[in-house]
Amino acid sequence: QVPVWRYNVEDPGIVKELHKEYLEAGAEIILANTFGANALSMAKTDYKVKDIIPPAMDLIHEAVGDKAKIALAVGPLTQLLEPYGDLTEEEAYELFDEQISVGVEGAPDLISIQTFMDVEMMKVAAKAARKHNLPITCSMSFEKVGKTIMGNSVQDMIDGLAEFHPDAIGLNCSLGPDMAVPIMKEFSEKTDIPLYFKPNAGKPTVSGDGTVQKGFDIDTFVNDVVKAIPYGVRYIGGCCGTNAAYIKALKEKLDTIR
């Protein structure tokens, strides 16, 4: 598999086209193609962070202009922090600091720290992001038991990030909206921070008899996602399995209930 950050250099047209699709769908915040663009993920390539992130920011500015907010996307590192892995907090900070600092030079409107499973690693990323005078959103990937794979709870996330004062907090990835809404309810009961919600639409899977089971169709996804609105969700969208058509339908639905 090719890391998608490589497309910023190797196939920039497709990156720009995707940004435009989301803009035309009505997205009000669009993520730059920088999610995994850190030195650790580039270690076995000829690329450096400064080769990948500046063109990513140029592409999104060219596609979006001032018609939507631009978010610098920051994902987790591909190694675990000590004691679960070999990565030290200092090493992680250097990696996030480089990614975010180079990204901020590209003039994003906010920093989106997302899809983390370890609140300790997210704290390191948030510390690096808070050096800059930009809003930050923080979202983790929860399992249906209400905790991340690393065992972090909603309360762990709220408490762990408190010193960094995130501008929004919540969930993205891992779950479909039906199972994710109860976790947003829990967030609403435990914090007054604006909530961020980007569940999955699921991925196609092949069953034993060879039939393809698709994820949530657009209508099901949208109708399940908006059930989080009563819990004070302020930022809402889609993660894996969604595309611009899902966002267009979601925007149209939201416009009818606002």
Side-chain angles (χ1 to χ4, degrees), residues 144-203:
K144 58 186 177 182
V145 294
K147 293 183 178 181
T148 70
I149 286 176
M150 297 294 288
N152 299 139
S153 66
V154 166
Q155 193 66 56
D156 291 336
M157 185 182 180
I158 294 167
D159 293 345
L161 293 173
E163 63 182 297
F164 304 108
H165 306 287
D167 296 274
I169 195 170
L171 170 154
N172 82 289
C173 205
S174 63
L175 297 175
D178 54 343
M179 292 185 180
V181 166
I183 296 172
M184 299 314 297
K185 178 176 184 290
E186 184 178 354
F187 269 108
S188 73
E189 294 166 348
K190 294 180 176 178
T191 183
D192 294 326
I193 301 170
L195 300 183
Y196 181 105
F197 186 44
K198 285 177 49 177
N200 282 352
K203 297 179 181 179

Short mmCIF file of all heavy atoms in Angstrom, two decimals, residues 144-203:
data_model
loop_
_atom_site.label_atom_id
_atom_site.label_comp_id
_atom_site.label_asym_id
_atom_site.label_seq_id
_atom_site.Cartn_x
_atom_site.Cartn_y
_atom_site.Cartn_z
N LYS A 144 -16.63 -0.42 20.98
CA LYS A 144 -18.02 -0.41 21.44
C LYS A 144 -18.16 -0.55 22.95
O LYS A 144 -19.21 -0.25 23.51
CB LYS A 144 -18.84 -1.48 20.72
CG LYS A 144 -18.33 -2.90 20.87
CD LYS A 144 -19.15 -3.82 19.98
CE LYS A 144 -18.62 -5.26 20.04
NZ LYS A 144 -19.39 -6.17 19.15
N VAL A 145 -17.08 -0.97 23.63
CA VAL A 145 -17.13 -1.04 25.09
C VAL A 145 -16.97 0.34 25.72
O VAL A 145 -17.06 0.49 26.93
CB VAL A 145 -16.03 -1.97 25.64
CG1 VAL A 145 -16.29 -3.40 25.23
CG2 VAL A 145 -14.63 -1.52 25.19
N GLY A 146 -16.74 1.37 24.89
CA GLY A 146 -16.62 2.72 25.41
C GLY A 146 -15.20 3.13 25.77
O GLY A 146 -14.99 4.19 26.37
N LYS A 147 -14.22 2.30 25.41
CA LYS A 147 -12.82 2.63 25.65
C LYS A 147 -12.03 2.43 24.36
O LYS A 147 -12.49 1.75 23.44
CB LYS A 147 -12.24 1.75 26.76
CG LYS A 147 -12.84 2.00 28.13
CD LYS A 147 -12.16 1.14 29.20
CE LYS A 147 -12.75 1.44 30.58
NZ LYS A 147 -12.07 0.64 31.65
N THR A 148 -10.84 3.01 24.31
CA THR A 148 -9.98 2.79 23.15
C THR A 148 -9.30 1.43 23.28
O THR A 148 -9.37 0.78 24.33
CB THR A 148 -8.89 3.87 23.07
OG1 THR A 148 -7.94 3.68 24.13
CG2 THR A 148 -9.47 5.28 23.17
N ILE A 149 -8.61 1.02 22.23
CA ILE A 149 -7.87 -0.25 22.27
C ILE A 149 -6.85 -0.25 23.41
O ILE A 149 -6.56 -1.29 24.00
CB ILE A 149 -7.19 -0.51 20.91
CG1 ILE A 149 -8.24 -0.92 19.87
CG2 ILE A 149 -6.12 -1.59 21.01
CD1 ILE A 149 -7.70 -1.11 18.47
N MET A 150 -6.32 0.92 23.74
CA MET A 150 -5.33 1.04 24.82
C MET A 150 -6.00 1.13 26.20
O MET A 150 -5.31 1.31 27.20
CB MET A 150 -4.44 2.24 24.58
CG MET A 150 -3.59 2.14 23.31
SD MET A 150 -2.36 0.82 23.39
CE MET A 150 -1.20 1.51 24.57
N GLY A 151 -7.32 1.06 26.23
CA GLY A 151 -8.03 1.06 27.52
C GLY A 151 -8.38 2.43 28.05
O GLY A 151 -8.81 2.56 29.20
N ASN A 152 -8.23 3.46 27.23
CA ASN A 152 -8.57 4.82 27.68
C ASN A 152 -10.07 5.06 27.59
O ASN A 152 -10.70 4.74 26.59
CB ASN A 152 -7.84 5.86 26.84
CG ASN A 152 -6.33 5.75 26.92
OD1 ASN A 152 -5.63 5.89 25.92
ND2 ASN A 152 -5.80 5.51 28.11
N SER A 153 -10.63 5.65 28.63
CA SER A 153 -12.05 5.96 28.68
C SER A 153 -12.29 7.41 28.25
O SER A 153 -11.35 8.19 28.06
CB SER A 153 -12.57 5.78 30.10
OG SER A 153 -11.96 6.75 30.97
N VAL A 154 -13.56 7.76 28.11
CA VAL A 154 -13.93 9.15 27.82
C VAL A 154 -13.36 10.07 28.89
O VAL A 154 -12.79 11.12 28.60
CB VAL A 154 -15.47 9.27 27.73
CG1 VAL A 154 -15.90 10.73 27.79
CG2 VAL A 154 -15.99 8.59 26.47
N GLN A 155 -13.51 9.67 30.15
CA GLN A 155 -13.00 10.50 31.25
C GLN A 155 -11.48 10.63 31.21
O GLN A 155 -10.93 11.70 31.49
CB GLN A 155 -13.43 9.92 32.61
CG GLN A 155 -13.22 10.88 33.77
CD GLN A 155 -14.10 12.11 33.69
OE1 GLN A 155 -15.33 12.00 33.60
NE2 GLN A 155 -13.49 13.29 33.68
N ASP A 156 -10.80 9.54 30.85
CA ASP A 156 -9.34 9.60 30.71
C ASP A 156 -8.93 10.65 29.68
O ASP A 156 -7.98 11.39 29.87
CB ASP A 156 -8.78 8.24 30.26
CG ASP A 156 -8.89 7.16 31.32
OD1 ASP A 156 -8.97 7.50 32.51
OD2 ASP A 156 -8.89 5.97 30.94
N MET A 157 -9.66 10.69 28.59
CA MET A 157 -9.36 11.65 27.53
C MET A 157 -9.60 13.08 28.00
O MET A 157 -8.77 13.97 27.81
CB MET A 157 -10.20 11.35 26.29
CG MET A 157 -9.87 12.22 25.10
SD MET A 157 -10.93 11.86 23.67
CE MET A 157 -10.26 13.05 22.51
N ILE A 158 -10.73 13.30 28.63
CA ILE A 158 -11.07 14.64 29.13
C ILE A 158 -10.03 15.11 30.14
O ILE A 158 -9.52 16.23 30.07
CB ILE A 158 -12.48 14.63 29.76
CG1 ILE A 158 -13.54 14.38 28.68
CG2 ILE A 158 -12.75 15.95 30.48
CD1 ILE A 158 -14.91 14.04 29.24
N ASP A 159 -9.69 14.23 31.08
CA ASP A 159 -8.72 14.60 32.12
C ASP A 159 -7.32 14.79 31.55
O ASP A 159 -6.61 15.73 31.90
CB ASP A 159 -8.69 13.51 33.21
CG ASP A 159 -9.98 13.42 34.00
OD1 ASP A 159 -10.80 14.36 33.92
OD2 ASP A 159 -10.18 12.39 34.67
N GLY A 160 -6.93 13.89 30.64
CA GLY A 160 -5.58 13.95 30.10
C GLY A 160 -5.31 15.18 29.27
O GLY A 160 -4.19 15.71 29.26
N LEU A 161 -6.34 15.66 28.57
CA LEU A 161 -6.15 16.81 27.68
C LEU A 161 -6.47 18.14 28.34
O LEU A 161 -6.29 19.19 27.71
CB LEU A 161 -7.02 16.64 26.44
CG LEU A 161 -6.64 15.49 25.50
CD1 LEU A 161 -7.69 15.33 24.41
CD2 LEU A 161 -5.27 15.73 24.88
N ALA A 162 -6.94 18.11 29.58
CA ALA A 162 -7.40 19.34 30.24
C ALA A 162 -6.37 20.46 30.20
O ALA A 162 -6.70 21.63 29.95
CB ALA A 162 -7.80 19.04 31.67
N GLU A 163 -5.09 20.13 30.43
CA GLU A 163 -4.07 21.18 30.50
C GLU A 163 -3.82 21.84 29.14
O GLU A 163 -3.23 22.92 29.06
CB GLU A 163 -2.77 20.62 31.04
CG GLU A 163 -2.13 19.54 30.17
CD GLU A 163 -0.85 18.98 30.77
OE1 GLU A 163 0.13 19.75 30.93
OE2 GLU A 163 -0.84 17.77 31.10
N PHE A 164 -4.27 21.20 28.07
CA PHE A 164 -4.03 21.74 26.72
C PHE A 164 -5.25 22.47 26.16
O PHE A 164 -5.18 23.02 25.06
CB PHE A 164 -3.60 20.62 25.78
CG PHE A 164 -2.40 19.88 26.28
CD1 PHE A 164 -2.51 18.58 26.76
CD2 PHE A 164 -1.15 20.49 26.33
CE1 PHE A 164 -1.40 17.90 27.26
CE2 PHE A 164 -0.05 19.82 26.83
CZ PHE A 164 -0.18 18.53 27.29
N HIS A 165 -6.35 22.47 26.91
CA HIS A 165 -7.54 23.24 26.56
C HIS A 165 -7.98 23.06 25.10
O HIS A 165 -8.00 24.01 24.33
CB HIS A 165 -7.31 24.73 26.85
CG HIS A 165 -6.86 25.00 28.25
ND1 HIS A 165 -7.70 24.90 29.34
CD2 HIS A 165 -5.64 25.33 28.74
CE1 HIS A 165 -7.02 25.18 30.45
NE2 HIS A 165 -5.77 25.43 30.10
N PRO A 166 -8.31 21.83 24.70
CA PRO A 166 -8.75 21.63 23.32
C PRO A 166 -10.02 22.42 23.02
O PRO A 166 -10.86 22.63 23.90
CB PRO A 166 -9.01 20.12 23.25
CG PRO A 166 -9.24 19.69 24.67
CD PRO A 166 -8.39 20.59 25.50
N ASP A 167 -10.13 22.87 21.79
CA ASP A 167 -11.29 23.65 21.39
C ASP A 167 -12.48 22.76 21.03
O ASP A 167 -13.62 23.24 20.95
CB ASP A 167 -10.92 24.54 20.20
CG ASP A 167 -9.86 25.56 20.59
OD1 ASP A 167 -10.25 26.63 21.08
OD2 ASP A 167 -8.65 25.28 20.45
N ALA A 168 -12.22 21.49 20.79
CA ALA A 168 -13.27 20.49 20.60
C ALA A 168 -12.67 19.13 20.93
O ALA A 168 -11.47 18.92 20.80
CB ALA A 168 -13.80 20.51 19.17
N ILE A 169 -13.54 18.22 21.35
CA ILE A 169 -13.07 16.91 21.80
C ILE A 169 -14.12 15.88 21.39
O ILE A 169 -15.31 16.18 21.30
CB ILE A 169 -12.86 16.92 23.34
CG1 ILE A 169 -12.05 15.73 23.81
CG2 ILE A 169 -14.18 17.03 24.08
CD1 ILE A 169 -11.63 15.85 25.28
N GLY A 170 -13.66 14.65 21.11
CA GLY A 170 -14.65 13.65 20.75
C GLY A 170 -14.10 12.39 20.12
O GLY A 170 -13.03 11.91 20.51
N LEU A 171 -14.82 11.88 19.12
CA LEU A 171 -14.57 10.56 18.56
C LEU A 171 -14.47 10.64 17.04
O LEU A 171 -15.23 11.36 16.40
CB LEU A 171 -15.72 9.64 18.96
CG LEU A 171 -15.86 8.25 18.35
CD1 LEU A 171 -16.63 7.34 19.32
CD2 LEU A 171 -16.61 8.26 16.99
N ASN A 172 -13.55 9.87 16.49
CA ASN A 172 -13.59 9.61 15.05
C ASN A 172 -13.11 8.19 14.79
O ASN A 172 -12.41 7.60 15.61
CB ASN A 172 -12.76 10.62 14.26
CG ASN A 172 -11.27 10.30 14.23
OD1 ASN A 172 -10.58 10.42 15.25
ND2 ASN A 172 -10.76 9.92 13.08
N CYS A 173 -13.54 7.65 13.65
CA CYS A 173 -13.10 6.32 13.19
C CYS A 173 -13.66 5.20 14.07
O CYS A 173 -14.54 5.39 14.89
CB CYS A 173 -11.57 6.26 13.10
SG CYS A 173 -10.96 5.02 11.93
N SER A 174 -13.19 4.02 13.86
CA SER A 174 -13.46 2.77 14.59
C SER A 174 -14.91 2.28 14.54
O SER A 174 -15.16 1.15 14.15
CB SER A 174 -12.95 2.83 16.03
OG SER A 174 -13.61 3.82 16.77
N LEU A 175 -15.86 3.10 14.95
CA LEU A 175 -17.25 2.64 15.06
C LEU A 175 -18.15 3.28 14.02
O LEU A 175 -17.91 4.39 13.55
CB LEU A 175 -17.80 2.99 16.45
CG LEU A 175 -17.13 2.34 17.66
CD1 LEU A 175 -17.72 2.90 18.94
CD2 LEU A 175 -17.27 0.82 17.61
N GLY A 176 -19.25 2.57 13.71
CA GLY A 176 -20.32 3.18 12.94
C GLY A 176 -21.11 4.10 13.85
O GLY A 176 -21.00 4.05 15.08
N PRO A 177 -21.94 4.97 13.28
CA PRO A 177 -22.65 5.96 14.10
C PRO A 177 -23.60 5.36 15.12
O PRO A 177 -23.79 5.93 16.20
CB PRO A 177 -23.41 6.80 13.06
CG PRO A 177 -23.48 5.93 11.84
CD PRO A 177 -22.23 5.12 11.85
N ASP A 178 -24.18 4.20 14.83
CA ASP A 178 -25.12 3.61 15.78
C ASP A 178 -24.44 3.29 17.11
O ASP A 178 -24.98 3.57 18.19
CB ASP A 178 -25.78 2.36 15.19
CG ASP A 178 -24.77 1.33 14.69
OD1 ASP A 178 -23.59 1.68 14.49
OD2 ASP A 178 -25.17 0.16 14.50
N MET A 179 -23.23 2.72 17.05
CA MET A 179 -22.52 2.38 18.28
C MET A 179 -21.75 3.57 18.86
O MET A 179 -21.40 3.56 20.04
CB MET A 179 -21.54 1.23 18.02
CG MET A 179 -22.21 -0.09 17.73
SD MET A 179 -21.02 -1.44 17.56
CE MET A 179 -22.12 -2.82 17.24
N ALA A 180 -21.51 4.57 18.04
CA ALA A 180 -20.71 5.71 18.49
C ALA A 180 -21.54 6.76 19.21
O ALA A 180 -21.02 7.48 20.08
CB ALA A 180 -19.99 6.35 17.30
N VAL A 181 -22.82 6.87 18.89
CA VAL A 181 -23.66 7.89 19.51
C VAL A 181 -23.68 7.78 21.05
O VAL A 181 -23.59 8.80 21.74
CB VAL A 181 -25.09 7.88 18.92
CG1 VAL A 181 -26.05 8.69 19.78
CG2 VAL A 181 -25.07 8.43 17.50
N PRO A 182 -23.78 6.57 21.62
CA PRO A 182 -23.76 6.49 23.08
C PRO A 182 -22.47 7.05 23.70
O PRO A 182 -22.49 7.56 24.83
CB PRO A 182 -23.88 4.99 23.35
CG PRO A 182 -24.60 4.45 22.16
CD PRO A 182 -24.08 5.25 21.00
N ILE A 183 -21.37 6.95 22.98
CA ILE A 183 -20.11 7.51 23.49
C ILE A 183 -20.17 9.04 23.48
O ILE A 183 -19.68 9.71 24.40
CB ILE A 183 -18.92 6.97 22.69
CG1 ILE A 183 -18.82 5.46 22.90
CG2 ILE A 183 -17.61 7.66 23.10
CD1 ILE A 183 -17.81 4.75 22.03
N MET A 184 -20.82 9.61 22.46
CA MET A 184 -21.00 11.06 22.44
C MET A 184 -21.92 11.51 23.58
O MET A 184 -21.73 12.58 24.16
CB MET A 184 -21.55 11.51 21.09
CG MET A 184 -20.64 11.19 19.90
SD MET A 184 -18.88 11.61 20.17
CE MET A 184 -18.99 13.38 20.37
N LYS A 185 -22.91 10.68 23.89
CA LYS A 185 -23.78 10.99 25.04
C LYS A 185 -22.94 11.05 26.31
O LYS A 185 -23.11 11.97 27.15
CB LYS A 185 -24.87 9.93 25.17
CG LYS A 185 -25.80 10.11 26.35
CD LYS A 185 -26.90 9.05 26.32
CE LYS A 185 -27.92 9.27 27.43
NZ LYS A 185 -27.36 9.00 28.78
N GLU A 186 -22.01 10.11 26.46
CA GLU A 186 -21.15 10.11 27.64
C GLU A 186 -20.28 11.37 27.68
O GLU A 186 -20.11 11.98 28.74
CB GLU A 186 -20.28 8.86 27.66
CG GLU A 186 -19.43 8.75 28.93
CD GLU A 186 -18.59 7.47 28.98
OE1 GLU A 186 -18.75 6.61 28.10
OE2 GLU A 186 -17.77 7.37 29.92
N PHE A 187 -19.73 11.76 26.53
CA PHE A 187 -18.95 13.00 26.48
C PHE A 187 -19.80 14.17 26.97
O PHE A 187 -19.35 15.01 27.75
CB PHE A 187 -18.48 13.29 25.05
CG PHE A 187 -17.13 12.72 24.71
CD1 PHE A 187 -17.02 11.63 23.86
CD2 PHE A 187 -15.97 13.26 25.23
CE1 PHE A 187 -15.78 11.10 23.52
CE2 PHE A 187 -14.72 12.74 24.90
CZ PHE A 187 -14.62 11.66 24.04
N SER A 188 -21.04 14.23 26.50
CA SER A 188 -21.91 15.37 26.84
C SER A 188 -22.20 15.45 28.33
O SER A 188 -22.45 16.52 28.87
CB SER A 188 -23.22 15.29 26.05
OG SER A 188 -24.07 14.27 26.54
N GLU A 189 -22.18 14.29 28.98
CA GLU A 189 -22.46 14.24 30.41
C GLU A 189 -21.26 14.61 31.26
O GLU A 189 -21.39 14.90 32.45
CB GLU A 189 -22.94 12.84 30.79
CG GLU A 189 -24.29 12.47 30.17
CD GLU A 189 -24.60 10.97 30.25
OE1 GLU A 189 -23.69 10.18 30.58
OE2 GLU A 189 -25.76 10.61 29.99
N LYS A 190 -20.07 14.62 30.65
CA LYS A 190 -18.84 14.77 31.42
C LYS A 190 -18.01 16.01 31.08
O LYS A 190 -17.03 16.29 31.76
CB LYS A 190 -17.97 13.51 31.26
CG LYS A 190 -18.64 12.28 31.88
CD LYS A 190 -17.81 11.03 31.75
CE LYS A 190 -18.48 9.86 32.47
NZ LYS A 190 -17.74 8.60 32.33
N THR A 191 -18.40 16.73 30.01
CA THR A 191 -17.63 17.91 29.65
C THR A 191 -18.51 18.94 28.97
O THR A 191 -19.52 18.60 28.35
CB THR A 191 -16.44 17.56 28.73
OG1 THR A 191 -15.68 18.74 28.48
CG2 THR A 191 -16.91 17.00 27.40
N ASP A 192 -18.11 20.21 29.08
CA ASP A 192 -18.78 21.30 28.38
C ASP A 192 -18.00 21.72 27.13
O ASP A 192 -18.40 22.66 26.44
CB ASP A 192 -18.95 22.51 29.31
CG ASP A 192 -19.89 22.22 30.46
OD1 ASP A 192 -20.86 21.46 30.24
OD2 ASP A 192 -19.67 22.75 31.56
N ILE A 193 -16.87 21.04 26.86
CA ILE A 193 -16.09 21.35 25.66
C ILE A 193 -16.92 21.01 24.43
O ILE A 193 -17.61 19.98 24.42
CB ILE A 193 -14.78 20.53 25.66
CG1 ILE A 193 -13.93 20.85 26.89
CG2 ILE A 193 -13.96 20.83 24.38
CD1 ILE A 193 -12.75 19.90 27.08
N PRO A 194 -16.91 21.84 23.38
CA PRO A 194 -17.62 21.49 22.15
C PRO A 194 -17.23 20.10 21.66
O PRO A 194 -16.06 19.71 21.74
CB PRO A 194 -17.17 22.58 21.17
CG PRO A 194 -16.88 23.76 22.04
CD PRO A 194 -16.29 23.18 23.30
N LEU A 195 -18.21 19.36 21.16
CA LEU A 195 -17.97 17.96 20.79
C LEU A 195 -17.77 17.78 19.29
O LEU A 195 -18.39 18.46 18.47
CB LEU A 195 -19.12 17.09 21.28
CG LEU A 195 -19.35 17.09 22.79
CD1 LEU A 195 -20.47 16.12 23.16
CD2 LEU A 195 -18.07 16.72 23.55
N TYR A 196 -16.92 16.79 18.96
CA TYR A 196 -16.46 16.50 17.60
C TYR A 196 -16.81 15.05 17.30
O TYR A 196 -16.49 14.16 18.08
CB TYR A 196 -14.94 16.72 17.60
CG TYR A 196 -14.20 16.52 16.31
CD1 TYR A 196 -13.76 17.62 15.57
CD2 TYR A 196 -13.85 15.25 15.86
CE1 TYR A 196 -13.00 17.45 14.42
CE2 TYR A 196 -13.10 15.08 14.70
CZ TYR A 196 -12.69 16.19 13.98
OH TYR A 196 -11.93 16.01 12.85
N PHE A 197 -17.48 14.80 16.18
CA PHE A 197 -18.02 13.46 15.92
C PHE A 197 -17.87 13.09 14.45
O PHE A 197 -18.49 13.68 13.57
CB PHE A 197 -19.50 13.46 16.30
CG PHE A 197 -20.18 12.12 16.23
CD1 PHE A 197 -19.57 10.97 16.73
CD2 PHE A 197 -21.45 12.00 15.69
CE1 PHE A 197 -20.21 9.74 16.68
CE2 PHE A 197 -22.10 10.77 15.64
CZ PHE A 197 -21.47 9.64 16.13
N LYS A 198 -16.99 12.13 14.17
CA LYS A 198 -16.78 11.65 12.81
C LYS A 198 -16.70 10.13 12.81
O LYS A 198 -15.62 9.54 12.77
CB LYS A 198 -15.48 12.24 12.22
CG LYS A 198 -15.57 13.69 11.80
CD LYS A 198 -14.24 14.22 11.30
CE LYS A 198 -13.62 13.31 10.28
NZ LYS A 198 -12.35 13.85 9.73
N PRO A 199 -17.85 9.46 12.86
CA PRO A 199 -17.84 7.98 12.89
C PRO A 199 -17.59 7.40 11.50
O PRO A 199 -17.62 8.11 10.48
CB PRO A 199 -19.25 7.65 13.37
CG PRO A 199 -20.09 8.77 12.85
CD PRO A 199 -19.22 10.00 12.94
N ASN A 200 -17.36 6.11 11.46
CA ASN A 200 -17.17 5.39 10.20
C ASN A 200 -18.50 5.04 9.55
O ASN A 200 -19.53 4.91 10.23
CB ASN A 200 -16.42 4.08 10.45
CG ASN A 200 -14.93 4.28 10.63
OD1 ASN A 200 -14.40 5.37 10.44
ND2 ASN A 200 -14.24 3.22 11.01
N ALA A 201 -18.44 4.83 8.24
CA ALA A 201 -19.59 4.25 7.54
C ALA A 201 -19.35 2.76 7.31
O ALA A 201 -20.14 2.10 6.65
CB ALA A 201 -19.83 4.95 6.22
N GLY A 202 -18.25 2.25 7.85
CA GLY A 202 -17.94 0.85 7.69
C GLY A 202 -17.21 0.58 6.39
O GLY A 202 -17.19 1.40 5.48
N LYS A 203 -16.59 -0.57 6.32
CA LYS A 203 -15.86 -0.97 5.12
C LYS A 203 -16.50 -2.23 4.54
O LYS A 203 -17.01 -3.07 5.28
CB LYS A 203 -14.39 -1.25 5.46
CG LYS A 203 -13.65 -0.03 5.98
CD LYS A 203 -12.21 -0.40 6.32
CE LYS A 203 -11.45 0.80 6.87
NZ LYS A 203 -10.07 0.45 7.23
#
